[in-house]
Every structure is written in structure tokens, then in C-alpha cells.
Amino acid sequence: MDTAIPSDDRTFEVARRLKPYLHGLSQPTGQAAGLPAWIYTDPAFFAEERKRVFAPSWIGIAYESEVANPGDAIAAEYAGWRFIVTRAEDGVVRTFYNVCRHRGMTLLDPGASAQGRTLACPWHRWTYDLQGRLVATPNIGGNNAHECVGFDKEGLGLQAVRTDTWLGVVFVNVDGAAPPLAEYLKPTIDRLAAFDLSLTRESNETMETAFQGNWKLGIEGGVEDYHIPWVHRQLGPSGDFRGEFSGDRWVGVTCRRTMEMAKRRYDESEGAAATAALPMFPHLPETGLFEASVILSTLPATLVAAVADHVVVSLFIPESPGRTKIRRRFRFIGEAATDDARASARRKVRDAWSVVTEQDGPIIAAMQDQAALKDEIGFRPRYSPHWEPAVHHFQKVIAAKITGENLA
Ligand code: FES
Ligand SMILES: [Fe+2]
């Protein structure tokens, strides 16, 4: 049984099984053969991703707006880790494992939120403040004896997870050894530099959904525009498209369009006529081709889409090998994020993204379902050198992290 295998043996086994595929993967994009389908379904592979892809990275687990005020706490999950994110009286956002220091009960139910100065464990009522300190142990020494000799609360606070924030996202670094967040995100931030993200504010438009497929299928589908004319017909032609990437930090797609194309794209998307009312980033030229969208997946799976008049931040949250949550927030420029006059314009942007996500859902589910068959017949994916360099690069990044080989 899988769980009986010590994890070091399992590591060796997963890396060993992947190695025969590396040669084909390392070929130029037009000739390369991609990774086998079991990387999307195998629980041992998922366990390796937790250890070698997620734990050493900064992973986006929640939004700052979910803990907007001192006293706010929420439960957040990611690939089997259970966290509590808090904002204590000092205003600092912190993350802890959602595990009581007494006998290990879940403090806050998955999906739940709380407001107050403390969090009490439902089992024996050990109580923590929002900085994670153990502040009360009711009845620990007998009825109405809340202290007891030989027991010291000091040092029994909740176990903290390294936390930082950017663009409204709460990021954590599970292994504690990643470079500081600002350094980790620098390649992403540099690539987005043409869009002054500091002008944007989070609106109250949100999207919470899930797809029945591995998290990597979501990334791979999001970094090519090849399928747009058939699957997302309402978006029109993709313009001057480029698949891009930067080392093991991000993969993405960028598109240059004229202002006319950029406006039409959203005007013609699913009822988005009113988006014209939204202000655009001030740097955009009225004539000629310009970079109208830059959509980057910061690895492993935090997506930022900077478009002419809005920014979408998406957290892909792996729940299991075959299921991934999408949590999305929509940002607009200045007042346009919150004023009443643009409420319907904001809703239409959200709806346009929602239609695209729904159109992708059945394809991802079918890809996931086909995995066993594909491995049975020895199938290997192939790539269009024009459209899919970022998909190819993403597979190399994953393979390199899992096997420890250098595939650059
Ligand atoms: S397990 Fe939390 S108080 Fe006992
Ligand atoms: Fe798509």
C-alpha cells in the first residue's frame, strides 16, 4: 500500500519513474514529447509536488480582504495543509497551522471564519489569541482550576507559517527557506511593470469555483491561446500572441493589440458592452499595437492577469490530484473598483471571466478522465512551437523539481 512506503523510498520511486521521459521533454518545443498522464492523477506524484514544488515556494492561500479587520480569522486549505489566517490587534496578517497544541484538533472548521480577540478549540477549549499565543486552558487542573502546577502555557502557541502579502494575496512559504516574497516575486513584478498595479483596488466582485482536474491542467490551459478560436469564440482573435516564461518563477501569455481591438474584445465578450465605462491604465497608447494583456502564472499557481482596464488575481488551490479550487478577485483602477456607477461594468467583466472558466471546465475534466487510457497506450503530448512554448517550459520546470535534474 502506498502509505506503507517510507517517504524517501517514494521520492526515489517517483523520480525514477519520471526520468525516462526527460530526454523527450528536453527536445526543442516542436519535437518535444511531454510528460506521461500519471503526473496528473498519481497520489505519490501529488505528495512529491507538496514536498518539492509547493513547500519550497510562496503559495497563495487566501486574500487579505478576507481578514480585512483586526480580529478577523479564516480557515484556509492548500494541498492537504490546513491553515488559519488571522489579523490581530497589531494589524499584522499571520498564518498558523490549524492544529490545536493540546491533542491536535482542528481549531477552525475548513471554510469557516471568525471574529474576535481569541480562538477557542472546540474540544477542550484551549484558547489562543490572534498572534497565536495560548492564553487560556479552562479546567486544566480540575473544575474551575484554569492553571495547574507543572504546566506552562508559554511555548505552546500555535505553530506559525512564514507569511507575507502582495496585491491583496496572502502567501505562505511552508518550508520557511524560500527567498523573501518581494525577491521571489521580482521576475513577476518586473514583467508586469508596464501596468501600474498600485493604481488598482480590489472590488467586491469575486469568483469561487472548482474544476475536476489536476492543478497543472489549469496552468497549462491558461498559458496558450491556441484553443481560443474554438473554445472561447466570444473573445475573438488573440492578437499578437507570445508564450513567455522566466526560469522557475512564472509562465504566461502576453498579447499585443490595437486600442480598437482591446476595446472590442471586451465589448463583444459575453454581454460586456458596459466595460467601456471602466478607466484604462494611463500608459496605454491610442494608436499602434501595445501590450493589452499580460497573464502570468507565478509558480506554482498564483495567476495575475493584467488587462487594459482591469486586473484579475486567481488562486489555483490544489485539493487533491483530481480537484482544484479557483478563488478569484477582480481589481479595477482607482474609484472604478468601488463606485456605484461602474457596478454593472465590473459585474460584466466578472461574468466574461466566468464564461471562459466554464468553457474550460469540461475540457479539463475530460483530460483528467483520459489519464489512465493515455498511459496505457503510451501517449505523449506534443506542442505547437508557436502557441505552446510556455506549456512546454512549465512541464520542464515540474520535471526538474521532481527529479532534481537540470532541464534548462
Ligand atoms: S485538542 Fe484542542 S483543546 Fe484539546
Ligand atoms: Fe481556456
Coordinates of all heavy atoms in Angstrom, one line a residue, residues 333-365:
I333 N -9.2 50.2 -11.6 CA -8.4 51.3 -11.4 C -9.1 52.4 -10.6 O -10.2 52.9 -10.9 CB -7.9 51.9 -12.8 CG1 -7.0 50.8 -13.4 CG2 -7.2 53.2 -12.6 CD1 -6.9 51.0 -14.9
G334 N -8.5 52.7 -9.4 CA -9.0 53.8 -8.5 C -10.4 53.5 -8.1 O -10.8 52.4 -7.8
E335 N -11.2 54.6 -8.2 CA -12.6 54.6 -7.8 C -13.4 53.6 -8.6 O -14.5 53.1 -8.1 CB -13.2 56.0 -8.2 CG -12.6 57.2 -7.6 CD -13.2 57.5 -6.3 OE1 -14.4 58.0 -6.3 OE2 -12.6 57.2 -5.2
A336 N -13.0 53.2 -9.8 CA -13.7 52.3 -10.6 C -13.9 51.0 -9.9 O -14.7 50.2 -10.3 CB -13.1 52.2 -12.0
A337 N -13.1 50.7 -8.9 CA -13.2 49.4 -8.2 C -14.4 49.4 -7.2 O -14.9 48.3 -6.9 CB -11.9 49.2 -7.3
T338 N -14.9 50.6 -6.8 CA -15.9 50.6 -5.8 C -17.1 51.5 -6.1 O -18.2 51.3 -5.4 CB -15.3 51.1 -4.5 OG1 -14.6 52.3 -4.7 CG2 -14.4 50.0 -3.8
D339 N -17.0 52.4 -7.1 CA -18.2 53.3 -7.2 C -19.4 52.6 -7.8 O -19.3 51.6 -8.4 CB -17.7 54.6 -8.0 CG -17.4 54.2 -9.5 OD1 -17.5 53.1 -9.9 OD2 -16.9 55.1 -10.2
D340 N -20.6 53.2 -7.4 CA -21.8 52.6 -7.8 C -22.0 52.7 -9.4 O -22.6 51.8 -10.0 CB -23.0 53.4 -7.2 CG -23.1 53.1 -5.7 OD1 -22.4 52.1 -5.3 OD2 -23.7 53.9 -5.0
A341 N -21.5 53.8 -10.0 CA -21.7 54.0 -11.4 C -21.2 52.8 -12.2 O -21.7 52.5 -13.3 CB -21.1 55.3 -11.8
R342 N -20.1 52.2 -11.8 CA -19.5 51.1 -12.6 C -19.8 49.7 -12.1 O -19.2 48.8 -12.5 CB -18.0 51.3 -12.6 CG -17.5 52.2 -13.7 CD -17.1 53.4 -13.1 NE -16.1 54.2 -13.9 CZ -15.5 55.3 -13.5 NH1 -15.7 55.7 -12.2 NH2 -14.7 55.9 -14.2
A343 N -20.8 49.6 -11.2 CA -21.1 48.3 -10.7 C -21.4 47.3 -11.8 O -21.0 46.1 -11.8 CB -22.2 48.4 -9.7
S344 N -22.2 47.7 -12.8 CA -22.6 46.7 -13.8 C -21.5 46.4 -14.7 O -21.3 45.3 -15.2 CB -23.9 47.2 -14.5 OG -23.6 48.2 -15.4
A345 N -20.6 47.4 -14.9 CA -19.4 47.2 -15.8 C -18.5 46.2 -15.1 O -18.0 45.3 -15.7 CB -18.7 48.5 -16.0
R346 N -18.3 46.3 -13.8 CA -17.5 45.3 -13.0 C -18.1 44.0 -13.1 O -17.4 43.0 -13.3 CB -17.3 45.8 -11.6 CG -16.5 47.0 -11.4 CD -16.2 47.2 -9.9 NE -17.3 47.4 -9.1 CZ -17.9 48.6 -8.8 NH1 -17.4 49.7 -9.3 NH2 -18.9 48.7 -8.0
R347 N -19.4 43.9 -13.0 CA -20.1 42.6 -13.0 C -19.9 41.9 -14.4 O -19.7 40.7 -14.5 CB -21.6 42.8 -12.7 CG -22.5 41.6 -12.8 CD -22.0 40.3 -12.2 NE -21.7 40.4 -10.8 CZ -22.5 40.0 -9.8 NH1 -23.7 39.5 -10.1 NH2 -22.2 40.1 -8.5
K348 N -19.9 42.7 -15.4 CA -19.8 42.2 -16.8 C -18.4 41.6 -17.0 O -18.2 40.6 -17.7 CB -20.2 43.2 -17.8 CG -21.7 43.2 -17.8 CD -22.3 44.4 -18.6 CE -23.8 44.3 -18.6 NZ -24.4 45.6 -19.0
V349 N -17.4 42.3 -16.4 CA -16.0 41.8 -16.5 C -15.9 40.4 -15.8 O -15.4 39.4 -16.4 CB -15.0 42.7 -15.9 CG1 -13.6 42.1 -15.8 CG2 -14.9 44.0 -16.8
R350 N -16.5 40.4 -14.6 CA -16.5 39.1 -13.9 C -17.2 38.0 -14.7 O -16.7 36.9 -14.8 CB -17.2 39.3 -12.5 CG -17.2 38.1 -11.7 CD -18.5 38.0 -10.9 NE -18.6 36.8 -10.2 CZ -19.2 35.7 -10.6 NH1 -19.7 35.6 -11.8 NH2 -19.2 34.6 -9.9
D351 N -18.4 38.4 -15.2 CA -19.2 37.4 -16.0 C -18.4 36.9 -17.2 O -18.5 35.7 -17.5 CB -20.5 37.9 -16.4 CG -21.4 38.1 -15.2 OD1 -21.1 37.6 -14.1 OD2 -22.5 38.8 -15.4
A352 N -17.7 37.8 -17.9 CA -16.9 37.3 -19.0 C -15.8 36.3 -18.6 O -15.6 35.3 -19.3 CB -16.3 38.6 -19.7
W353 N -15.2 36.5 -17.5 CA -14.2 35.6 -17.0 C -14.8 34.3 -16.6 O -14.3 33.2 -16.8 CB -13.4 36.2 -15.8 CG -12.3 37.1 -16.3 CD1 -12.4 38.4 -16.6 CD2 -10.9 36.7 -16.5 NE1 -11.2 38.9 -17.0 CE2 -10.2 37.9 -16.9 CE3 -10.2 35.5 -16.3 CZ2 -8.9 37.9 -17.2 CZ3 -8.8 35.5 -16.6 CH2 -8.2 36.7 -17.0
S354 N -16.0 34.4 -16.0 CA -16.7 33.2 -15.6 C -17.1 32.3 -16.7 O -17.0 31.1 -16.7 CB -17.9 33.7 -14.8 OG -18.8 32.7 -14.5
V355 N -17.5 32.9 -17.8 CA -17.9 32.2 -19.0 C -16.7 31.4 -19.5 O -16.7 30.2 -19.8 CB -18.5 33.1 -20.1 CG1 -18.5 32.3 -21.5 CG2 -19.8 33.6 -19.7
V356 N -15.5 32.1 -19.6 CA -14.3 31.4 -20.1 C -13.9 30.2 -19.2 O -13.6 29.2 -19.6 CB -13.1 32.5 -20.1 CG1 -11.8 31.8 -20.3 CG2 -13.3 33.5 -21.2
T357 N -14.0 30.4 -17.9 CA -13.7 29.4 -16.9 C -14.7 28.2 -17.1 O -14.3 27.0 -17.1 CB -13.8 29.9 -15.5 OG1 -12.9 31.0 -15.4 CG2 -13.4 28.9 -14.4
E358 N -15.9 28.5 -17.3 CA -16.9 27.4 -17.5 C -16.7 26.7 -18.8 O -16.9 25.4 -18.9 CB -18.4 27.9 -17.5 CG -18.9 28.2 -16.1 CD -20.1 29.1 -16.1 OE1 -20.8 29.2 -17.2 OE2 -20.3 29.8 -15.1
Q359 N -16.2 27.4 -19.8 CA -15.9 26.7 -21.1 C -14.7 25.8 -21.0 O -14.6 24.8 -21.6 CB -15.6 27.8 -22.2 CG -16.9 28.5 -22.6 CD -16.6 29.8 -23.4 OE1 -15.5 30.4 -23.2 NE2 -17.5 30.2 -24.3
D360 N -13.7 26.1 -20.1 CA -12.6 25.3 -19.9 C -12.8 24.1 -19.1 O -12.2 23.1 -19.2 CB -11.4 26.1 -19.3 CG -10.8 27.1 -20.2 OD1 -10.7 26.8 -21.4 OD2 -10.3 28.1 -19.8
G361 N -13.8 24.2 -18.2 CA -14.1 23.1 -17.2 C -14.2 21.7 -17.8 O -13.5 20.8 -17.4
P362 N -15.1 21.5 -18.8 CA -15.3 20.2 -19.3 C -14.1 19.6 -20.0 O -13.9 18.4 -20.0 CB -16.5 20.3 -20.3 CG -17.1 21.7 -20.0 CD -16.1 22.5 -19.3
I363 N -13.3 20.5 -20.6 CA -12.1 20.0 -21.3 C -11.1 19.5 -20.2 O -10.5 18.4 -20.4 CB -11.5 21.2 -22.1 CG1 -12.4 21.4 -23.3 CG2 -10.1 20.8 -22.6 CD1 -12.1 22.6 -24.2
I364 N -10.9 20.3 -19.1 CA -10.0 19.8 -18.1 C -10.5 18.5 -17.5 O -9.7 17.6 -17.3 CB -9.9 20.9 -17.0 CG1 -9.1 22.1 -17.5 CG2 -9.2 20.3 -15.7 CD1 -9.0 23.3 -16.6
A365 N -11.8 18.4 -17.3 CA -12.4 17.2 -16.7 C -12.1 16.0 -17.6 O -11.8 14.9 -17.2 CB -13.9 17.3 -16.4

